[in-house]
Structure formats: C-alpha cells, structure tokens
C-alpha cells in the first residue's frame, strides 16, 4: 500500500471529526464534576452521575479518543496516561466494567477512536481540478484547551495564513513540507527494504509515525558509531561546532576556553574522594556507565566513557572518549538563516528546542532530540530569536547549570534587539529576576514563554541564533562561560575571612534528603572544634533551604566557607559560591526498586569548571529515597575540605588562568 503524505490537509480534516465527540465527553465530565473527585488516585467508578457514567471513565475514554486520533500530547492531554489502553481494558470481557452502561459507552468511544484512526489512512487528491494546491483546513489547537477548540480561527496555523510581509525569508521552510518529504522518503526506504507493510499500521497510530527519526546516545559508544542513529529522514544532521562550517551559517561569536577534563588533568581543578580507600570503592561502584548502577551480577567495567565519576576522580584505567587540552574547548554562537525551532515534539519537557531548517538539523549537543515536523500544528513567525534550551528547562538542577550560563552568553554576544527565548517557569523567573533588577539583563531581551503556550508549535524566524560546543557530550559549558555567568550576578568572590559558616543544604522532605542530619551536624561541629587553624574554629553551621528571594540565596552561597549537600538541584547554586569554596556532595550508593539510576556527576563537572575543590562521598540510599550519610567518610572529606579552604597550597593546585581571550563578536 503506497502512502502519499501530500494529502496532509485531508489527514488534518479527519482529525476535526473528533472535536465534536471530545466536546460531548467534556460536557458529560462537567455534569458529573460536582458529584465526583477525578483527581489523581481517585476511583471514579464509585461515583456516578445521573447519566450513570463513571467520571473516571469519561475522562479516560475522552483521553483515549484524543490519543487514538493520532494527536496524543502525552500528559498535557491525559495526565493519567494510557487512555486508549484504559478504554480497551474496560470494553473487554477480561475485566467486567462496573456496569453494562460503562461497558457499552467505553466500547462505543473506542470504536469511534478506531474509526478516526482508520480515516487517517485514506488518501485524497492534494490538488484541485485546476491543479492548484488544496487549502489546508483549520485545525483546533489541542494545547489551548476546549475554549480554543471552539474558536480555531483565532489560532495561527501552518499554511493557513500568508507569510507576513516583514519576513526577510519570503518562502520560509514549512514543517508540513518537511514532514511530507520525510514521510515519502521514509516510505520509499521501507518499500526498498520490504518493510512497507508496517506503514498502514503506523499511520493508524499517528501520521507522524510515517516520518522516520532517530535519537540514540550511549556513554560507552563512540560518537562516530552513534552518528547514523541520530537522524531526521530528509534532513542532514550537523553535529556540534560543525555548524560553523555550514553554507549560509554565520559565526557570531567564539571563544577558546578550558573544559573540566583538562582542568582536572592539568591540576587546575580537583574532584576527590575522602581517602584513597574510598576512591577505589567509588571507582568500583561507578564502574559501569554514567547514569546506571551495575547490578550485583554485572562485572562489566566501562573504561572508555564521556562523563563519569571515575573520569572525574582519575580512576586507573578509565579513559576519556572526548578530551581537549587546556584552552582548546571551542564554544561558538551561530546564526541559522530561515531557521525553525521545534516545540511540537512529544515529551517537550525533555526534548524541545531542536533547531533545523529546510535541509539540516543542527544537533548542537548529544542531549538534543530531533525535531518532529509532522506534529507541528501552528507557526510563530519572528524576525530573529536566540535559543539554547536545555533538557528539563523548568527544573532548577538543569536550568541553572545548563541553560542560565548560555542565556547570559547569548545576551553578551547577540546583536541588540534580538530576543532570547526562555521557558517561563517559577525557576526561570526566580533566577532571572536579580539580573533584571541589577540591569545586567534587560527585561526586553528575554522572551519568556510557558511551555504550554508553545505546545505543538514551531517558531519560524529569519535568524535563529544558537550555541554549539566542541565538547559534544556534555550539556555544561567551559570555564569562560561559567565565569561570565558568575560575573553577571555581581562578580564574584568574598574573602575567606568574610565567609563565617559551613552551608549544610537541607532538602526538606524531598527524595535524597539526609536522614541523619543531627548526627551529621554534630560530626561536622566536632571536626571544626578540633581543627588547628583558629579561623576554622570560628565556623558555624548554617542550614540552608531556598528562600523567597534568590538574592538571599546568592548571598548565602557566596558567604559560605564550605558547602555540604546531598545530590540534588540545590547544588546548581554552585554558580554563586565564592572562588575556591570547597564542596562536599553526598551521593547515594545503590539502586532502588524505582530506579537503577546512579548518582549523576553533573555537579562535579560544574564544580571543576568553576575551579571549586570538590569532594564526593556516598551515603546509604537511592535516587528516590532518603540518604543516610556515612559519618566517618563524610567527616574525613570535611577535614580535607577545611584543608582546601585554609591551606589550599597543600593540594598543589595551579591557579586557574584565562586562555588569552574572552567572548568576542565577529
């Protein structure tokens, strides 16, 4: 069966048929809302409306209908997850529904959903009798709720409105055209390999499934081997700083800086365990891959990797897959003409922000997922925009170390008048506010948009500015980028004599909180009292949790003599610590039932780039549980931290120096 996606307009029209049924489901939901709690975890089948329909089932079947139409938007549309599966389960004989009314209603909704999916496979002429391309029908935008669905004419839609007169790109690339090309090439490739029979089934699930894309990253495989697994059919993948050599792409600014591997190897920074014995234990504990703990039966050792604690600790036999000597890390800001920025991809919290144009996908680092042009539902036209969005852009632990330095870097290097896109959230608003108040960053410079407002959207701009780094595997930047960020918040360092306390990070009731804080505090106090340096004996212990004002948090971190913290987002505030402040990170040491995830080394890399003496210890716990601090190990590390603070020369660190240039425009 040949599938021609030049009739995408017809596919979209088929989707409109689902809107009336969704509205009907919503009306039923409103009817019963006063009689039932449909919040997460409630069991709606115990509460029935006058119509005899379970509210839980109404919500689930509506989500099922929505998802099966080929336009699932994940938890934004279905916070319970698995709507289609739910409707199937309650319509089957395997598990009787609470009553026959429920069974019949769920079966009918599932049937209509299947019919809608089947309709999406039908072909229709893409041109009229005169040979003109058919106008694409309007499509309600799911991200904006039922109110917007009632007024689809108010939404900007691809192909519906002409290109604005002010656009310099008179024929900017259209995600739908890229989708069509991707789907046709994907189908042709499948036909050649004998796999084309799977395409009708894929189309029934979602038209986007026809466009073959790929993302893969493994910490123990070379980038060259992984290159073929990262693609958008019909687009050429351009990785990292190779973008600077692409035709039509302009280099706006560049810098030669140093990244954490060279800073550690050349003695400019250090990451250490509490003792040589503990180092050998940690080298074994984290011998597997960057983000996964080995099981008890797993004896494999991954010696060659990109990012890992063994690399940071200098464990014997472990080798860098990506290493650049001092001052050989290149960071580049580039301008992509007539570019697109993708927010249509599913799971946008992790995967949004891909930059592409009519023929190329700019994969600026390993965490950047491919765009999803077939999911795009509306275009946002702009003259120019800068973007450097990280994964989890609303999370403190990713926004501060991974995105905030890049925003400030773009602010430093982009031409005046170019807005910088950032995801609006409590996190971004909190950390940008001091910059706005001090004048280090203009409010007009930052374009804050909630992720929900960008859902299923594609930004189309005459100029898209983005950042690429020659250290392709890491989302964090080099020392010059972090220096720029630190200076933007008021400079920097407070003399050791004006740093009177140990900052002990308190995670409250969150996962990875320290379960034996009183004992840990007493152990730290004992080390302070016995220290030979009279300056150290004056230290107090200050418990810290984020305050109402980030300016207070910045001051708290800047005036700390030593930082002790469990692994978590609070360590993102390392950006504000004074130069030379020792840090002790308490990692968890085991996998749990919920997660096999190992303690990520992201803050160790950040500390190394900032030149902070960094010590890593472990406590008993997992990623999703409290951590019981190992008191002998932690106090041994704390003794070293005090030595690093008050007798830094004993560690033989070479003072960090600039590479001879700073960020410069071209």
């Amino acid at each position: 069966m040949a599938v021609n996606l030049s009739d995408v307009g017809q596919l979209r029209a088929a989707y409109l048929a689902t809107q009336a049924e969704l509205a009907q489901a919503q009306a039923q939901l409103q009817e019963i809302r006063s009689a039932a709690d449909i919040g997460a975890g409630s069991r709606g089948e115990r509460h029935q409306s006058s119509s005899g329909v379970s509210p839980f089932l109404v919500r689930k079947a509506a989500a099922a209908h929505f998802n099966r139409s080929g336009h699932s938007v994940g938890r934004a549309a279905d916070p319970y997850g698995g709507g289609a599966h739910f409707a199937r389960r309650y319509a089957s004989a395997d598990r009787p529904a609470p009553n026959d009314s429920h069974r019949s209603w769920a079966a009918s909704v599932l049937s209509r959903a299947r019919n809608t999916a089947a309709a999406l496979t039908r072909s229709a002429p893409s041109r009229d009798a005169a040979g003109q391309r058919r106008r694409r029908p309007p499509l309600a935008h799911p991200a904006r709720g039922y109110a917007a669905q009632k007024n689809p004419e108010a939404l900007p839609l691809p192909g519906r409105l002409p290109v604005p007169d002010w656009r310099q790109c008179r024929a900017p690339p259209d995600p739908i055209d890229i989708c069509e090309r991707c789907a046709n090439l994907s189908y042709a490739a499948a036909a050649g390999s004998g796999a084309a029979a799977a395409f009708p089934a894929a189309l029934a699930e979602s038209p986007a499934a026809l466009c073959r894309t790929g993302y893969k990253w493994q910490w123990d495989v070379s980038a060259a081997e992984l290159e073929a697994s990262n693609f958008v059919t019909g687009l050429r993948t351009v990785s990292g700083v190779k973008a600077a050599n692409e035709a039509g792409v302009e280099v706006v600014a560049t810098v030669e800086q140093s990244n954490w591997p060279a800073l550690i190897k050349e003695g400019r920074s250090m990451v250490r365990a509490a003792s040589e014995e503990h180092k050998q234990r940690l080298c074994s504990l984290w011998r597997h891959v960057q983000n996964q703990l080995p099981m008890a039966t797993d004896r494999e050792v991954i010696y060659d990797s990109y990012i890992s604690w063994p690399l940071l600790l200098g464990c014997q036999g472990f080798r860098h897959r990506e290493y650049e000597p001092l001052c050989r890390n290149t960071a580049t800001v580039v301008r992509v003409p007539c570019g697109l920025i993708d927010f249509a991809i599913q799971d946008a919290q992790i995967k949004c922000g891909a930059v592409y144009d009519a023929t190329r996908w700019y994969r600026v680092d390993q965490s950047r997922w491919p765009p999803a042009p077939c999911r795009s539902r509306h275009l946002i036209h702009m003259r120019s925009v800068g973007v450097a969005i990280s994964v989890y852009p609303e999370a403190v632990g990713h926004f501060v170390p991974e995105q905030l330095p890049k925003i400030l870097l773009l602010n430093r290097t982009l031409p005046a008048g170019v807005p910088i896109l950032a995801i609006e959230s409590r996190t971004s608003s909190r950390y940008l506010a001091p910059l706005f108040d001090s004048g280090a960053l203009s409010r007009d410079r930052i374009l804050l948009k909630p992720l929900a407002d960008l859902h299923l959207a594609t930004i189309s701009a005459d100029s898209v500015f983005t950042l690429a780094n020659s250290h392709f595997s890491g989302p964090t930047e080099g020392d010059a980028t972090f220096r720029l960020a630190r200076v933007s918040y008021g400079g920097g360092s407070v003399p050791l004599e004006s740093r009177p306390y140990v900052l002990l990070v308190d995670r409250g009731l969150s996962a990875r909180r320290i379960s034996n804080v009183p004992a840990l505090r007493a152990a730290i106090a004992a080390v302070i009292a016995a220290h030979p340096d009279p300056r150290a004996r004056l230290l107090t212990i200050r418990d810290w949790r984020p305050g109402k004002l980030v300016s207070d948090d910045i001051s708290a971190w800047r005036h700390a003599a030593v930082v002790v913290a469990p692994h978590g987002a609070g360590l993102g505030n390392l950006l504000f610590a004074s130069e030379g402040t020792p840090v002790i990170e308490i990692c968890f040491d085991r996998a749990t039932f919920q997660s096999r995830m190992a303690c990520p080394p992201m803050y160790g890399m950040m500390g190394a780039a900032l030149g902070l003496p960094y010590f890593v210890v472990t406590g008993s716990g997992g990623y999703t549980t409290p951590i019981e601090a190992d008191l002998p190990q932690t106090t041994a590390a704390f003794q070293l931290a005090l030595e690093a603070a008050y007798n830094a020369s004993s560690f033989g660190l070479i003072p960090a120096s600039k590479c001879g240039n700073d960020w410069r425009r071209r």
Side-chain angles (χ1 to χ4, degrees):
M1 167 184 166
V3 178
N4 185 352
L5 273 199
S6 62
D7 60 349
V8 169
Q10 180 68 16
L11 299 179
R12 288 184 164 186
Y15 175 67
L16 290 175
T18 68
Q19 300 307 306
E21 296 172 44
L22 279 171
Q24 181 182 4
Q26 176 69 1
Q28 290 176 295
L29 182 61
Q30 293 293 342
E31 175 191 352
I32 56 168
R33 181 166 286 169
S34 60
D37 174 16
I38 62 168
S42 65
R43 299 302 299 169
E45 58 264 29
R46 291 199 295 263
H47 310 281
Q48 297 182 20
S49 68
S50 58
S51 64
V53 178
S54 160
F56 191 68
L57 185 59
V58 170
R59 181 66 183 87
K60 275 299 196 174
H65 195 163
F66 191 87
N67 292 344
R68 292 292 295 175
S69 68
H71 298 271
S72 169
V73 294
R75 292 190 177 272
D78 180 11
Y80 298 94
H85 170 74
F86 180 94
R88 270 194 228 100
R89 175 177 160 201
Y90 272 81
S92 71
D94 295 337
R95 175 173 176 175
N99 57 49
D100 291 341
S101 173
H102 296 167
R103 181 196 296 275
S104 174
W105 192 83
S108 66
V109 169
L110 182 59
S111 175
R112 289 195 295 273
R114 285 173 174 159
N115 290 340
T116 302
L120 293 173
T121 64
R122 301 189 187 116
S123 299
S126 60
R127 299 183 181 274
D128 59 22
Q132 298 297 313
R133 191 178 182 89
R134 291 185 184 276
R135 194 175 188 82
R136 292 168 182 156
L139 172 67
H141 180 30
R144 305 212 176 187
Y146 290 94
Q149 290 173 6
K150 293 176 183 177
N151 185 23
E153 298 295 326
L155 299 172
L157 302 168
R160 180 167 175 74
L161 299 175
V163 176
D165 292 338
W166 47 262
R167 288 293 303 268
Q168 294 179 356
C169 297
R170 295 310 306 155
D174 188 334
I176 298 305
D177 293 333
I178 295 171
C179 170
E180 292 173 346
R181 182 171 75 240
C182 176
N184 286 322
L185 290 174
S186 298
Y187 183 76
S193 65
F199 270 73
L203 184 59
E205 289 292 326
S206 167
L210 281 173
C211 173
R212 295 304 194 202
T213 65
Y215 171 82
K216 184 178 182 181
W217 182 259
Q218 290 179 240
W219 298 100
D220 55 341
V221 177
S222 72
E225 294 176 78
L226 293 169
E227 193 74 23
S229 299
N230 294 274
F231 65 91
V232 179
T233 304
L235 297 180
R236 182 164 54 85
T237 302
V238 180
S239 297
V241 292
K242 294 178 182 177
N245 300 320
E246 287 292 305
V249 174
E250 175 189 350
V251 175
V252 177
T254 188
V255 70
E256 298 295 330
Q257 58 184 349
S258 299
N259 216 325
W260 64 268
L263 289 169
I264 291 175
K265 185 176 180 180
E266 300 299 328
R268 265 63 171 183
S269 296
M270 70 175 190
V271 177
R272 295 194 180 182
S275 67
E276 185 62 29
E277 178 184 353
H278 283 297
K279 174 182 174 180
Q280 296 307 317
R281 183 180 59 82
L282 296 180
C283 292
S284 176
L285 175 66
W286 291 319
R287 68 185 184 274
H288 195 44
V289 291
Q290 183 265 352
N291 59 351
Q292 194 173 68
L293 285 168
M295 303 302 285
T297 58
D298 187 353
R299 301 302 178 190
E300 182 182 11
V301 179
I302 306 300
Y303 285 110
D304 297 318
S305 187
Y306 297 91
I307 298 170
S308 70
W309 282 115
L311 292 177
L312 285 162
L313 291 166
C315 297
Q316 185 175 2
F318 288 83
R319 297 174 292 268
H320 292 272
R321 282 193 173 274
E322 190 173 32
Y323 179 86
E324 299 158 316
L326 288 175
C327 298
R328 291 296 181 266
N329 172 252
T330 302
T332 304
V333 176
V334 296
R335 183 185 77 87
V336 177
C338 300
L340 302 169
I341 307 173
D342 177 65
F343 290 92
I345 194 166
Q346 197 168 11
D347 298 327
Q349 270 270 346
I350 306 173
K351 305 174 184 178
C352 70
V355 175
Y356 64 115
D357 59 21
T359 61
R360 297 166 291 196
W361 164 38
Y362 299 92
R363 189 174 177 233
V364 293
D365 63 59
Q366 63 85 8
S367 64
R368 186 56 47 218
W369 286 69
C374 293
R375 288 177 53 87
S376 179
R377 292 295 174 268
H378 66 130
L379 287 174
I380 299 172
H381 291 280
M382 299 184 70
R383 286 185 171 86
S384 58
V385 62
V387 62
I389 291 176
S390 67
V391 296
Y392 302 107
E394 299 173 334
V396 173
H398 288 273
F399 176 81
V400 175
E402 297 172 7
Q403 188 171 352
L404 183 58
K406 297 176 184 178
I407 290 175
L408 294 169
L409 186 154
L410 290 174
N411 178 62
R412 172 76 173 270
T413 58
L414 295 190
V418 176
I420 301 168
L421 177 65
I423 301 303
E424 184 176 12
S425 66
R426 292 177 61 184
T427 298
S428 60
S429 298
R430 176 180 175 82
Y431 283 94
L432 292 175
L435 299 171
F436 294 150
D437 294 342
S438 69
L441 192 61
S442 169
R443 295 180 188 273
D444 295 335
R445 182 69 140 172
I446 304 300
L447 177 62
L448 287 171
K449 286 286 187 181
L451 201 54
D453 284 2
L454 295 169
H455 183 62
L456 297 183
T458 301
I459 293 176
S460 176
D462 295 330
S463 297
V464 173
F465 296 86
T466 193
L467 172 71
N469 192 289
S470 58
H471 194 88
F472 184 72
S473 64
T476 54
E477 293 297 312
D479 57 352
T481 307
F482 277 115
R483 273 200 306 270
L484 175 61
R486 177 184 271 163
V487 168
S488 298
Y489 278 92
S493 287
V494 171
L496 183 59
E497 292 72 22
S498 300
R499 292 186 263 148
Y501 51 79
V502 175
L503 193 74
L504 182 59
V505 175
D506 177 9
R507 286 182 58 84
L509 298 178
S510 301
R512 303 186 303 284
R513 65 185 180 275
I514 301 301
S515 61
N516 57 338
V517 169
L520 176 61
R521 189 184 292 110
I524 291 174
V527 174
I528 291 173
H531 199 274
D533 193 310
R535 296 173 298 172
R537 292 198 298 272
L538 295 175
L539 291 174
T540 59
I541 301 172
R542 174 176 175 177
D543 293 334
W544 176 85
R545 296 184 68 183
K548 291 183 178 180
L549 299 176
V550 75
S551 56
D552 293 339
D553 294 341
I554 293 172
S555 178
W557 282 74
R558 190 163 287 165
H559 287 83
V562 180
V563 174
V564 180
H567 175 83
L571 281 166
N573 293 287
L574 290 175
L575 182 64
F576 312 122
S578 292
E579 291 184 18
T581 301
V583 180
I584 300 173
E585 179 178 355
I586 304 176
C587 274
F588 50 93
D589 66 354
R590 57 185 171 86
T592 64
F593 175 76
Q594 295 91 346
S595 175
R596 191 184 168 187
M597 184 174 181
C599 186
M602 54 193 294
Y603 300 116
M605 295 186 299
M606 182 182 183
L610 287 164
L612 305 177
Y614 208 90
F615 302 89
V616 59
V617 299
T618 54
S620 177
Y623 185 75
T624 58
T625 69
I627 300 174
E628 181 181 357
D630 180 327
L631 298 183
Q633 184 186 176
T634 306
T635 53
F638 186 70
Q639 290 173 332
L640 293 175
L642 290 181
E643 190 73 7
Y646 294 99
N647 188 20
S649 60
S650 64
F651 287 92
L653 291 178
I654 303 171
S657 60
K658 294 184 179 181
C659 295
N661 65 350
D662 206 343
W663 281 99
R664 62 182 188 275
R665 292 183 184 174
R666 288 189 176 182

